[in-house]
Amino acid sequence: MSTAIATVDPAFDRFDICEAHYLVESYYNVGGWLRERPSNARRHEATSAQLARIKFKPAPSLDYATLTENGKAIFLALINRLNLPEWTAEDAAESEAARR
C-alpha cells in the first residue's frame, strides 16, 4: 500500500466513501471519467454523475488533505483496487501545499 498514509483500515462511512470516490476520479480521470472503475464503464458515465444522483455535493475545498483518516484509507484502498498509479507521500504533500 502507499506510503502516504496507511494507518487505519477503512471503515464504512457513506460520506467518506463519497468523498474518496470523488477525489479518485478527480485525480485519475481521463477525459472526464475514470475508465478503470467497472460501474463507470457499464453505465458510460462518470463517478461524479453517479454521486450527483444521490445528491452528494463536495465542498469546494475538498482534496486529499481534507479527507478524514478513514477517507484517506478508503481513497488508498480504491487506488489499490483499481490498479491505479500509487499515491505517494509527495502527492499528499502537494495536495496539502496547494491548500495553503
Side-chain angles (χ1 to χ4, degrees):
M1 194 172 263
S2 174
T3 57
I5 123 161
T7 57
V8 297
D9 289 327
F12 183 85
D13 179 291
R14 284 178 176 86
F15 193 72
D16 287 344
I17 292 168
C18 289
E19 286 189 330
H21 274 274
Y22 180 85
L23 285 179
V24 167
E25 182 175 74
S26 294
Y27 294 143
Y28 290 96
N29 82 77
V30 176
W33 61 295
L34 189 63
R35 286 168 174 75
E36 292 83 357
R37 187 162 178 259
S39 66
N40 289 3
R42 240 186 355 266
R43 293 182 177 106
H44 300 289
E45 67 181 4
T47 302
S48 57
Q50 296 169 48
L51 291 170
R53 196 169 32 252
I54 63 168
K55 309 288 189 240
F56 174 75
K57 293 183 172 105
S61 62
L62 179 63
D63 65 8
Y64 181 81
T66 64
L67 290 174
T68 64
E69 293 299 305
N70 186 54
K72 289 176 182 177
I74 294 167
F75 176 88
L76 295 172
L78 281 170
I79 290 169
N80 188 39
R81 189 175 80 211
L82 297 171
N83 295 316
L84 295 168
E86 183 177 5
W87 183 259
T88 65
E90 292 80 27
D91 295 325
E94 287 176 16
S95 176
E96 179 63 32
R99 290 190 67 233
R100 295 180 189 169

